Amino acid sequence: MSDGTHSGYSTGVHTGFGVAPSGVVPVIGTSTREFSHSSALARSLAWQPVLPSAGPLSFLGSVLMLFVLFVFGLCSIGLTMEPLPSHPLRMMASLLGLYLFPIVLSIPVVAIFTTAFKRARRNSKVDSGRHRARHVWSHGYYCHRCAVAYWPYPTEPGIPYRVPLAPSHFRWYVWNTGGYAKL
């Protein structure tokens, strides 16, 4: 698996034109990028799934929640500063704007927080079982000629040994040992 994973850095020089108050100016800059690439075989024999972070989603949800609270505050301040409309239709529209608009804006915030919570829970489950999965995975072998993986001797109960397995089945046994095969 480690032979199929490569990582490194790349740098590049970029040129172009930018617009400034004084007119069009030439722009020159450099960038550095870190990259990692895994082959299909390395991904199929991975001992744990890719763990997407919940942090950026939580940050985005928090920023959007502040925006919703700000809009709710503006609506409520605007409603208290002006005298209540005497016409019932205008009064109903003002109250709907006060309550319905923030509720509608909060639907994407709830969806973002729900997704972040699910990611965090999944990452926690994978993290709790990864040591057992790594132990089982490290005792397995892969035959390049036959394109099968196997365990030459018993490692844990329920793990077949001396049985050729497709990489996906091998990965299932490893992930099942870690407790995250059905995530």
Side-chain angles (χ1 to χ4, degrees):
M1 185 178 157
S2 62
D3 286 343
T5 304
H6 304 286
S7 60
Y9 294 93
S10 68
T11 58
V13 176
H14 306 282
T15 60
F17 293 97
V19 178
S22 60
V24 178
V25 294
V27 177
I28 300 174
T30 61
S31 67
T32 303
R33 184 177 72 95
E34 183 179 351
F35 64 91
S36 177
H37 174 73
S38 296
S39 68
L41 178 61
R43 285 190 303 272
S44 71
L45 294 172
W47 59 279
Q48 75 176 12
V50 175
L51 302 175
S53 175
L57 280 179
S58 299
F59 177 75
L60 177 65
S62 299
V63 169
L64 288 177
M65 181 55 90
L66 288 175
F67 176 71
V68 168
L69 291 175
F70 179 72
V71 167
F72 181 72
L74 282 180
C75 288
S76 60
I77 289 172
L79 194 61
T80 58
M81 292 185 102
E82 295 180 11
L84 286 175
S86 59
H87 195 273
L89 190 59
R90 288 185 66 204
M91 186 171 168
M92 187 165 45
S94 298
L95 289 175
L96 279 177
L98 175 65
Y99 293 111
L100 189 63
F101 189 62
I103 289 172
V104 169
L105 283 178
S106 66
I107 290 172
V109 173
V110 170
I112 288 172
F113 277 130
T114 302
T115 304
F117 177 75
K118 285 181 181 178
R119 278 188 184 180
R121 192 172 65 191
R122 178 179 184 261
N123 291 352
S124 173
K125 188 164 185 164
V126 169
D127 194 40
S128 67
R130 69 185 188 142
H131 296 295
R132 285 187 65 201
R134 176 74 180 209
H135 172 72
V136 169
W137 176 84
S138 66
H139 288 94
Y141 287 90
Y142 179 76
C143 178
H144 286 280
R145 184 182 59 163
C146 304
V148 295
Y150 64 96
W151 286 277
Y153 53 88
T155 56
E156 282 212 13
I159 302 293
Y161 63 97
R162 295 185 184 158
V163 175
L165 300 168
S168 60
H169 291 130
F170 176 85
R171 183 181 64 212
W172 183 87
Y173 279 108
V174 171
W175 289 13
N176 194 40
T177 302
Y180 44 84
K182 296 179 182 178
L183 293 179

PDB file of all heavy atoms in Angstrom, residues 149-180:
ATOM      1  N   ALA A 149      -5.459 -11.105  -1.978  1.00  0.00           N
ATOM      2  CA  ALA A 149      -4.883 -10.859  -0.661  1.00  0.00           C
ATOM      3  C   ALA A 149      -5.230 -12.045   0.235  1.00  0.00           C
ATOM      4  O   ALA A 149      -6.236 -12.729   0.009  1.00  0.00           O
ATOM      5  CB  ALA A 149      -5.438  -9.573  -0.072  1.00  0.00           C
ATOM      6  N   TYR A 150      -4.403 -12.291   1.250  1.00  0.00           N
ATOM      7  CA  TYR A 150      -4.651 -13.423   2.134  1.00  0.00           C
ATOM      8  C   TYR A 150      -3.890 -13.230   3.439  1.00  0.00           C
ATOM      9  O   TYR A 150      -2.992 -12.394   3.540  1.00  0.00           O
ATOM     10  CB  TYR A 150      -4.225 -14.731   1.463  1.00  0.00           C
ATOM     11  CG  TYR A 150      -2.745 -14.814   1.182  1.00  0.00           C
ATOM     12  CD1 TYR A 150      -1.888 -15.461   2.063  1.00  0.00           C
ATOM     13  CD2 TYR A 150      -2.212 -14.227   0.051  1.00  0.00           C
ATOM     14  CE1 TYR A 150      -0.529 -15.517   1.815  1.00  0.00           C
ATOM     15  CE2 TYR A 150      -0.863 -14.282  -0.207  1.00  0.00           C
ATOM     16  CZ  TYR A 150      -0.018 -14.925   0.682  1.00  0.00           C
ATOM     17  OH  TYR A 150       1.318 -14.981   0.433  1.00  0.00           O
ATOM     18  N   TRP A 151      -4.270 -14.026   4.428  1.00  0.00           N
ATOM     19  CA  TRP A 151      -3.540 -14.109   5.685  1.00  0.00           C
ATOM     20  C   TRP A 151      -2.909 -15.490   5.726  1.00  0.00           C
ATOM     21  O   TRP A 151      -3.615 -16.506   5.609  1.00  0.00           O
ATOM     22  CB  TRP A 151      -4.467 -13.919   6.884  1.00  0.00           C
ATOM     23  CG  TRP A 151      -4.890 -12.502   7.069  1.00  0.00           C
ATOM     24  CD1 TRP A 151      -4.192 -11.522   7.703  1.00  0.00           C
ATOM     25  CD2 TRP A 151      -6.085 -11.901   6.610  1.00  0.00           C
ATOM     26  NE1 TRP A 151      -4.899 -10.345   7.671  1.00  0.00           N
ATOM     27  CE2 TRP A 151      -6.066 -10.544   7.004  1.00  0.00           C
ATOM     28  CE3 TRP A 151      -7.203 -12.359   5.908  1.00  0.00           C
ATOM     29  CZ2 TRP A 151      -7.087  -9.659   6.722  1.00  0.00           C
ATOM     30  CZ3 TRP A 151      -8.218 -11.480   5.619  1.00  0.00           C
ATOM     31  CH2 TRP A 151      -8.161 -10.145   6.021  1.00  0.00           C
ATOM     32  N   PRO A 152      -1.597 -15.599   5.884  1.00  0.00           N
ATOM     33  CA  PRO A 152      -0.950 -16.912   5.869  1.00  0.00           C
ATOM     34  C   PRO A 152      -1.194 -17.721   7.148  1.00  0.00           C
ATOM     35  O   PRO A 152      -1.050 -18.940   7.142  1.00  0.00           O
ATOM     36  CB  PRO A 152       0.529 -16.585   5.705  1.00  0.00           C
ATOM     37  CG  PRO A 152       0.674 -15.199   6.206  1.00  0.00           C
ATOM     38  CD  PRO A 152      -0.630 -14.512   5.945  1.00  0.00           C
ATOM     39  N   TYR A 153      -1.549 -17.074   8.247  1.00  0.00           N
ATOM     40  CA  TYR A 153      -1.808 -17.772   9.508  1.00  0.00           C
ATOM     41  C   TYR A 153      -2.928 -17.036  10.248  1.00  0.00           C
ATOM     42  O   TYR A 153      -3.221 -15.881   9.946  1.00  0.00           O
ATOM     43  CB  TYR A 153      -0.533 -17.856  10.363  1.00  0.00           C
ATOM     44  CG  TYR A 153       0.124 -16.521  10.595  1.00  0.00           C
ATOM     45  CD1 TYR A 153      -0.240 -15.718  11.682  1.00  0.00           C
ATOM     46  CD2 TYR A 153       1.106 -16.046   9.730  1.00  0.00           C
ATOM     47  CE1 TYR A 153       0.344 -14.486  11.886  1.00  0.00           C
ATOM     48  CE2 TYR A 153       1.695 -14.813   9.930  1.00  0.00           C
ATOM     49  CZ  TYR A 153       1.313 -14.039  11.019  1.00  0.00           C
ATOM     50  OH  TYR A 153       1.901 -12.827  11.213  1.00  0.00           O
ATOM     51  N   PRO A 154      -3.552 -17.674  11.212  1.00  0.00           N
ATOM     52  CA  PRO A 154      -4.678 -17.029  11.907  1.00  0.00           C
ATOM     53  C   PRO A 154      -4.223 -15.784  12.669  1.00  0.00           C
ATOM     54  O   PRO A 154      -3.206 -15.806  13.354  1.00  0.00           O
ATOM     55  CB  PRO A 154      -5.177 -18.100  12.878  1.00  0.00           C
ATOM     56  CG  PRO A 154      -4.513 -19.356  12.506  1.00  0.00           C
ATOM     57  CD  PRO A 154      -3.330 -19.038  11.668  1.00  0.00           C
ATOM     58  N   THR A 155      -4.989 -14.725  12.533  1.00  0.00           N
ATOM     59  CA  THR A 155      -4.674 -13.492  13.264  1.00  0.00           C
ATOM     60  C   THR A 155      -5.724 -13.197  14.326  1.00  0.00           C
ATOM     61  O   THR A 155      -5.389 -12.830  15.434  1.00  0.00           O
ATOM     62  CB  THR A 155      -4.588 -12.291  12.312  1.00  0.00           C
ATOM     63  OG1 THR A 155      -5.809 -12.191  11.597  1.00  0.00           O
ATOM     64  CG2 THR A 155      -3.435 -12.424  11.364  1.00  0.00           C
ATOM     65  N   GLU A 156      -6.992 -13.353  13.976  1.00  0.00           N
ATOM     66  CA  GLU A 156      -8.107 -13.121  14.905  1.00  0.00           C
ATOM     67  C   GLU A 156      -9.225 -14.086  14.560  1.00  0.00           C
ATOM     68  O   GLU A 156      -9.320 -14.549  13.422  1.00  0.00           O
ATOM     69  CB  GLU A 156      -8.627 -11.683  14.779  1.00  0.00           C
ATOM     70  CG  GLU A 156      -7.776 -10.669  15.472  1.00  0.00           C
ATOM     71  CD  GLU A 156      -8.596  -9.506  16.014  1.00  0.00           C
ATOM     72  OE1 GLU A 156      -9.824  -9.588  16.066  1.00  0.00           O
ATOM     73  OE2 GLU A 156      -7.959  -8.531  16.390  1.00  0.00           O
ATOM     74  N   PRO A 157     -10.095 -14.352  15.520  1.00  0.00           N
ATOM     75  CA  PRO A 157     -11.237 -15.223  15.208  1.00  0.00           C
ATOM     76  C   PRO A 157     -12.125 -14.583  14.137  1.00  0.00           C
ATOM     77  O   PRO A 157     -12.357 -13.384  14.148  1.00  0.00           O
ATOM     78  CB  PRO A 157     -11.999 -15.325  16.538  1.00  0.00           C
ATOM     79  CG  PRO A 157     -11.030 -14.894  17.591  1.00  0.00           C
ATOM     80  CD  PRO A 157     -10.051 -13.987  16.927  1.00  0.00           C
ATOM     81  N   GLY A 158     -12.582 -15.393  13.214  1.00  0.00           N
ATOM     82  CA  GLY A 158     -13.445 -14.900  12.148  1.00  0.00           C
ATOM     83  C   GLY A 158     -12.698 -14.437  10.908  1.00  0.00           C
ATOM     84  O   GLY A 158     -13.316 -14.112   9.904  1.00  0.00           O
ATOM     85  N   ILE A 159     -11.383 -14.381  10.961  1.00  0.00           N
ATOM     86  CA  ILE A 159     -10.575 -13.977   9.807  1.00  0.00           C
ATOM     87  C   ILE A 159     -10.104 -15.247   9.106  1.00  0.00           C
ATOM     88  O   ILE A 159      -9.388 -16.063   9.699  1.00  0.00           O
ATOM     89  CB  ILE A 159      -9.354 -13.131  10.233  1.00  0.00           C
ATOM     90  CG1 ILE A 159      -9.799 -11.888  10.999  1.00  0.00           C
ATOM     91  CG2 ILE A 159      -8.506 -12.760   9.034  1.00  0.00           C
ATOM     92  CD1 ILE A 159     -10.548 -10.880  10.172  1.00  0.00           C
ATOM     93  N   PRO A 160     -10.492 -15.450   7.841  1.00  0.00           N
ATOM     94  CA  PRO A 160     -10.060 -16.673   7.150  1.00  0.00           C
ATOM     95  C   PRO A 160      -8.568 -16.593   6.805  1.00  0.00           C
ATOM     96  O   PRO A 160      -8.077 -15.559   6.372  1.00  0.00           O
ATOM     97  CB  PRO A 160     -10.916 -16.673   5.883  1.00  0.00           C
ATOM     98  CG  PRO A 160     -11.239 -15.245   5.641  1.00  0.00           C
ATOM     99  CD  PRO A 160     -11.321 -14.596   6.989  1.00  0.00           C
ATOM    100  N   TYR A 161      -7.863 -17.664   7.024  1.00  0.00           N
ATOM    101  CA  TYR A 161      -6.448 -17.681   6.677  1.00  0.00           C
ATOM    102  C   TYR A 161      -6.196 -18.745   5.618  1.00  0.00           C
ATOM    103  O   TYR A 161      -6.937 -19.712   5.500  1.00  0.00           O
ATOM    104  CB  TYR A 161      -5.567 -17.884   7.917  1.00  0.00           C
ATOM    105  CG  TYR A 161      -5.763 -19.184   8.635  1.00  0.00           C
ATOM    106  CD1 TYR A 161      -4.911 -20.257   8.402  1.00  0.00           C
ATOM    107  CD2 TYR A 161      -6.795 -19.340   9.545  1.00  0.00           C
ATOM    108  CE1 TYR A 161      -5.092 -21.462   9.054  1.00  0.00           C
ATOM    109  CE2 TYR A 161      -6.977 -20.538  10.204  1.00  0.00           C
ATOM    110  CZ  TYR A 161      -6.121 -21.592   9.959  1.00  0.00           C
ATOM    111  OH  TYR A 161      -6.301 -22.778  10.618  1.00  0.00           O
ATOM    112  N   ARG A 162      -5.197 -18.486   4.818  1.00  0.00           N
ATOM    113  CA  ARG A 162      -4.842 -19.326   3.669  1.00  0.00           C
ATOM    114  C   ARG A 162      -5.986 -19.424   2.667  1.00  0.00           C
ATOM    115  O   ARG A 162      -6.150 -20.427   1.986  1.00  0.00           O
ATOM    116  CB  ARG A 162      -4.407 -20.712   4.116  1.00  0.00           C
ATOM    117  CG  ARG A 162      -3.141 -20.699   4.914  1.00  0.00           C
ATOM    118  CD  ARG A 162      -2.689 -22.088   5.225  1.00  0.00           C
ATOM    119  NE  ARG A 162      -1.513 -22.030   6.082  1.00  0.00           N
ATOM    120  CZ  ARG A 162      -1.126 -23.010   6.844  1.00  0.00           C
ATOM    121  NH1 ARG A 162      -1.795 -24.146   6.861  1.00  0.00           N
ATOM    122  NH2 ARG A 162      -0.066 -22.889   7.593  1.00  0.00           N
ATOM    123  N   VAL A 163      -6.780 -18.349   2.588  1.00  0.00           N
ATOM    124  CA  VAL A 163      -7.892 -18.284   1.639  1.00  0.00           C
ATOM    125  C   VAL A 163      -7.651 -17.056   0.756  1.00  0.00           C
ATOM    126  O   VAL A 163      -7.531 -15.946   1.274  1.00  0.00           O
ATOM    127  CB  VAL A 163      -9.247 -18.146   2.373  1.00  0.00           C
ATOM    128  CG1 VAL A 163     -10.380 -17.965   1.380  1.00  0.00           C
ATOM    129  CG2 VAL A 163      -9.488 -19.342   3.266  1.00  0.00           C
ATOM    130  N   PRO A 164      -7.561 -17.234  -0.564  1.00  0.00           N
ATOM    131  CA  PRO A 164      -7.361 -16.061  -1.425  1.00  0.00           C
ATOM    132  C   PRO A 164      -8.628 -15.203  -1.472  1.00  0.00           C
ATOM    133  O   PRO A 164      -9.725 -15.698  -1.668  1.00  0.00           O
ATOM    134  CB  PRO A 164      -7.040 -16.665  -2.796  1.00  0.00           C
ATOM    135  CG  PRO A 164      -7.580 -18.048  -2.747  1.00  0.00           C
ATOM    136  CD  PRO A 164      -7.582 -18.484  -1.320  1.00  0.00           C
ATOM    137  N   LEU A 165      -8.447 -13.906  -1.268  1.00  0.00           N
ATOM    138  CA  LEU A 165      -9.569 -12.968  -1.246  1.00  0.00           C
ATOM    139  C   LEU A 165      -9.328 -11.846  -2.241  1.00  0.00           C
ATOM    140  O   LEU A 165      -8.192 -11.387  -2.399  1.00  0.00           O
ATOM    141  CB  LEU A 165      -9.729 -12.357   0.150  1.00  0.00           C
ATOM    142  CG  LEU A 165     -10.002 -13.307   1.311  1.00  0.00           C
ATOM    143  CD1 LEU A 165      -9.842 -12.588   2.631  1.00  0.00           C
ATOM    144  CD2 LEU A 165     -11.398 -13.879   1.185  1.00  0.00           C
ATOM    145  N   ALA A 166     -10.391 -11.402  -2.863  1.00  0.00           N
ATOM    146  CA  ALA A 166     -10.296 -10.204  -3.696  1.00  0.00           C
ATOM    147  C   ALA A 166      -9.980  -9.029  -2.771  1.00  0.00           C
ATOM    148  O   ALA A 166     -10.324  -9.045  -1.585  1.00  0.00           O
ATOM    149  CB  ALA A 166     -11.615  -9.970  -4.425  1.00  0.00           C
ATOM    150  N   PRO A 167      -9.318  -7.985  -3.280  1.00  0.00           N
ATOM    151  CA  PRO A 167      -8.983  -6.849  -2.417  1.00  0.00           C
ATOM    152  C   PRO A 167     -10.188  -6.245  -1.690  1.00  0.00           C
ATOM    153  O   PRO A 167     -10.074  -5.859  -0.526  1.00  0.00           O
ATOM    154  CB  PRO A 167      -8.352  -5.840  -3.384  1.00  0.00           C
ATOM    155  CG  PRO A 167      -7.749  -6.684  -4.443  1.00  0.00           C
ATOM    156  CD  PRO A 167      -8.701  -7.837  -4.606  1.00  0.00           C
ATOM    157  N   SER A 168     -11.346  -6.216  -2.337  1.00  0.00           N
ATOM    158  CA  SER A 168     -12.519  -5.658  -1.665  1.00  0.00           C
ATOM    159  C   SER A 168     -12.965  -6.535  -0.497  1.00  0.00           C
ATOM    160  O   SER A 168     -13.391  -6.019   0.541  1.00  0.00           O
ATOM    161  CB  SER A 168     -13.662  -5.470  -2.658  1.00  0.00           C
ATOM    162  OG  SER A 168     -14.021  -6.706  -3.238  1.00  0.00           O
ATOM    163  N   HIS A 169     -12.873  -7.857  -0.640  1.00  0.00           N
ATOM    164  CA  HIS A 169     -13.226  -8.754   0.464  1.00  0.00           C
ATOM    165  C   HIS A 169     -12.204  -8.668   1.594  1.00  0.00           C
ATOM    166  O   HIS A 169     -12.559  -8.704   2.777  1.00  0.00           O
ATOM    167  CB  HIS A 169     -13.364 -10.197  -0.020  1.00  0.00           C
ATOM    168  CG  HIS A 169     -14.535 -10.405  -0.902  1.00  0.00           C
ATOM    169  ND1 HIS A 169     -14.441 -11.043  -2.105  1.00  0.00           N
ATOM    170  CD2 HIS A 169     -15.834 -10.059  -0.772  1.00  0.00           C
ATOM    171  CE1 HIS A 169     -15.626 -11.073  -2.684  1.00  0.00           C
ATOM    172  NE2 HIS A 169     -16.484 -10.475  -1.886  1.00  0.00           N
ATOM    173  N   PHE A 170     -10.936  -8.578   1.223  1.00  0.00           N
ATOM    174  CA  PHE A 170      -9.881  -8.412   2.221  1.00  0.00           C
ATOM    175  C   PHE A 170     -10.139  -7.139   3.032  1.00  0.00           C
ATOM    176  O   PHE A 170     -10.084  -7.148   4.261  1.00  0.00           O
ATOM    177  CB  PHE A 170      -8.522  -8.340   1.515  1.00  0.00           C
ATOM    178  CG  PHE A 170      -7.368  -8.067   2.431  1.00  0.00           C
ATOM    179  CD1 PHE A 170      -6.747  -9.099   3.116  1.00  0.00           C
ATOM    180  CD2 PHE A 170      -6.892  -6.775   2.611  1.00  0.00           C
ATOM    181  CE1 PHE A 170      -5.676  -8.852   3.954  1.00  0.00           C
ATOM    182  CE2 PHE A 170      -5.823  -6.526   3.448  1.00  0.00           C
ATOM    183  CZ  PHE A 170      -5.213  -7.563   4.122  1.00  0.00           C
ATOM    184  N   ARG A 171     -10.436  -6.052   2.324  1.00  0.00           N
ATOM    185  CA  ARG A 171     -10.714  -4.782   2.997  1.00  0.00           C
ATOM    186  C   ARG A 171     -11.945  -4.914   3.888  1.00  0.00           C
ATOM    187  O   ARG A 171     -11.967  -4.392   5.000  1.00  0.00           O
ATOM    188  CB  ARG A 171     -10.912  -3.665   1.971  1.00  0.00           C
ATOM    189  CG  ARG A 171     -11.135  -2.308   2.622  1.00  0.00           C
ATOM    190  CD  ARG A 171     -11.360  -1.228   1.609  1.00  0.00           C
ATOM    191  NE  ARG A 171     -12.585  -1.506   0.893  1.00  0.00           N
ATOM    192  CZ  ARG A 171     -12.796  -1.188  -0.377  1.00  0.00           C
ATOM    193  NH1 ARG A 171     -11.877  -0.563  -1.064  1.00  0.00           N
ATOM    194  NH2 ARG A 171     -13.945  -1.492  -0.954  1.00  0.00           N
ATOM    195  N   TRP A 172     -12.987  -5.646   3.450  1.00  0.00           N
ATOM    196  CA  TRP A 172     -14.179  -5.812   4.269  1.00  0.00           C
ATOM    197  C   TRP A 172     -13.848  -6.504   5.586  1.00  0.00           C
ATOM    198  O   TRP A 172     -14.325  -6.098   6.647  1.00  0.00           O
ATOM    199  CB  TRP A 172     -15.250  -6.597   3.520  1.00  0.00           C
ATOM    200  CG  TRP A 172     -16.504  -6.703   4.329  1.00  0.00           C
ATOM    201  CD1 TRP A 172     -17.528  -5.812   4.379  1.00  0.00           C
ATOM    202  CD2 TRP A 172     -16.849  -7.753   5.253  1.00  0.00           C
ATOM    203  NE1 TRP A 172     -18.500  -6.241   5.254  1.00  0.00           N
ATOM    204  CE2 TRP A 172     -18.100  -7.437   5.811  1.00  0.00           C
ATOM    205  CE3 TRP A 172     -16.224  -8.924   5.650  1.00  0.00           C
ATOM    206  CZ2 TRP A 172     -18.737  -8.235   6.744  1.00  0.00           C
ATOM    207  CZ3 TRP A 172     -16.850  -9.734   6.589  1.00  0.00           C
ATOM    208  CH2 TRP A 172     -18.096  -9.378   7.115  1.00  0.00           C
ATOM    209  N   TYR A 173     -13.027  -7.545   5.542  1.00  0.00           N
ATOM    210  CA  TYR A 173     -12.652  -8.238   6.782  1.00  0.00           C
ATOM    211  C   TYR A 173     -11.872  -7.308   7.712  1.00  0.00           C
ATOM    212  O   TYR A 173     -12.090  -7.299   8.926  1.00  0.00           O
ATOM    213  CB  TYR A 173     -11.820  -9.491   6.481  1.00  0.00           C
ATOM    214  CG  TYR A 173     -12.656 -10.679   6.090  1.00  0.00           C
ATOM    215  CD1 TYR A 173     -12.671 -11.139   4.787  1.00  0.00           C
ATOM    216  CD2 TYR A 173     -13.433 -11.341   7.037  1.00  0.00           C
ATOM    217  CE1 TYR A 173     -13.443 -12.236   4.423  1.00  0.00           C
ATOM    218  CE2 TYR A 173     -14.205 -12.433   6.684  1.00  0.00           C
ATOM    219  CZ  TYR A 173     -14.209 -12.874   5.380  1.00  0.00           C
ATOM    220  OH  TYR A 173     -14.987 -13.953   5.031  1.00  0.00           O
ATOM    221  N   VAL A 174     -10.972  -6.515   7.160  1.00  0.00           N
ATOM    222  CA  VAL A 174     -10.200  -5.577   7.973  1.00  0.00           C
ATOM    223  C   VAL A 174     -11.120  -4.547   8.587  1.00  0.00           C
ATOM    224  O   VAL A 174     -11.065  -4.278   9.796  1.00  0.00           O
ATOM    225  CB  VAL A 174      -9.088  -4.903   7.126  1.00  0.00           C
ATOM    226  CG1 VAL A 174      -8.432  -3.783   7.880  1.00  0.00           C
ATOM    227  CG2 VAL A 174      -8.057  -5.942   6.682  1.00  0.00           C
ATOM    228  N   TRP A 175     -11.972  -3.936   7.766  1.00  0.00           N
ATOM    229  CA  TRP A 175     -12.879  -2.905   8.269  1.00  0.00           C
ATOM    230  C   TRP A 175     -13.900  -3.484   9.239  1.00  0.00           C
ATOM    231  O   TRP A 175     -14.319  -2.815  10.186  1.00  0.00           O
ATOM    232  CB  TRP A 175     -13.585  -2.198   7.114  1.00  0.00           C
ATOM    233  CG  TRP A 175     -12.684  -1.314   6.316  1.00  0.00           C
ATOM    234  CD1 TRP A 175     -11.327  -1.265   6.336  1.00  0.00           C
ATOM    235  CD2 TRP A 175     -13.089  -0.338   5.359  1.00  0.00           C
ATOM    236  NE1 TRP A 175     -10.862  -0.346   5.448  1.00  0.00           N
ATOM    237  CE2 TRP A 175     -11.927   0.248   4.832  1.00  0.00           C
ATOM    238  CE3 TRP A 175     -14.326   0.084   4.888  1.00  0.00           C
ATOM    239  CZ2 TRP A 175     -11.959   1.246   3.870  1.00  0.00           C
ATOM    240  CZ3 TRP A 175     -14.360   1.080   3.922  1.00  0.00           C
ATOM    241  CH2 TRP A 175     -13.184   1.654   3.438  1.00  0.00           C
ATOM    242  N   ASN A 176     -14.339  -4.711   9.014  1.00  0.00           N
ATOM    243  CA  ASN A 176     -15.291  -5.347   9.924  1.00  0.00           C
ATOM    244  C   ASN A 176     -14.637  -5.581  11.293  1.00  0.00           C
ATOM    245  O   ASN A 176     -15.279  -5.443  12.327  1.00  0.00           O
ATOM    246  CB  ASN A 176     -15.795  -6.661   9.332  1.00  0.00           C
ATOM    247  CG  ASN A 176     -17.000  -7.175  10.050  1.00  0.00           C
ATOM    248  OD1 ASN A 176     -17.882  -6.410  10.414  1.00  0.00           O
ATOM    249  ND2 ASN A 176     -17.044  -8.470  10.266  1.00  0.00           N
ATOM    250  N   THR A 177     -13.355  -5.930  11.304  1.00  0.00           N
ATOM    251  CA  THR A 177     -12.633  -6.085  12.562  1.00  0.00           C
ATOM    252  C   THR A 177     -12.564  -4.761  13.300  1.00  0.00           C
ATOM    253  O   THR A 177     -12.707  -4.725  14.518  1.00  0.00           O
ATOM    254  CB  THR A 177     -11.204  -6.612  12.302  1.00  0.00           C
ATOM    255  OG1 THR A 177     -11.289  -7.856  11.612  1.00  0.00           O
ATOM    256  CG2 THR A 177     -10.448  -6.791  13.586  1.00  0.00           C
ATOM    257  N   GLY A 178     -12.393  -3.673  12.572  1.00  0.00           N
ATOM    258  CA  GLY A 178     -12.373  -2.347  13.189  1.00  0.00           C
ATOM    259  C   GLY A 178     -13.749  -1.842  13.592  1.00  0.00           C
ATOM    260  O   GLY A 178     -13.863  -0.858  14.322  1.00  0.00           O
ATOM    261  N   GLY A 179     -14.801  -2.470  13.088  1.00  0.00           N
ATOM    262  CA  GLY A 179     -16.142  -2.076  13.461  1.00  0.00           C
ATOM    263  C   GLY A 179     -16.749  -1.004  12.569  1.00  0.00           C
ATOM    264  O   GLY A 179     -17.769  -0.419  12.903  1.00  0.00           O
ATOM    265  N   TYR A 180     -16.129  -0.750  11.423  1.00  0.00           N
ATOM    266  CA  TYR A 180     -16.654   0.298  10.544  1.00  0.00           C
ATOM    267  C   TYR A 180     -16.861  -0.179   9.110  1.00  0.00           C
ATOM    268  O   TYR A 180     -16.818   0.603   8.174  1.00  0.00           O
ATOM    269  CB  TYR A 180     -15.759   1.540  10.557  1.00  0.00           C
ATOM    270  CG  TYR A 180     -14.264   1.284  10.486  1.00  0.00           C
ATOM    271  CD1 TYR A 180     -13.634   1.098   9.266  1.00  0.00           C
ATOM    272  CD2 TYR A 180     -13.496   1.253  11.627  1.00  0.00           C
ATOM    273  CE1 TYR A 180     -12.277   0.887   9.188  1.00  0.00           C
ATOM    274  CE2 TYR A 180     -12.136   1.057  11.566  1.00  0.00           C
ATOM    275  CZ  TYR A 180     -11.527   0.874  10.351  1.00  0.00           C
ATOM    276  OH  TYR A 180     -10.178   0.669  10.279  1.00  0.00           O
TER     277      TYR A 180
END
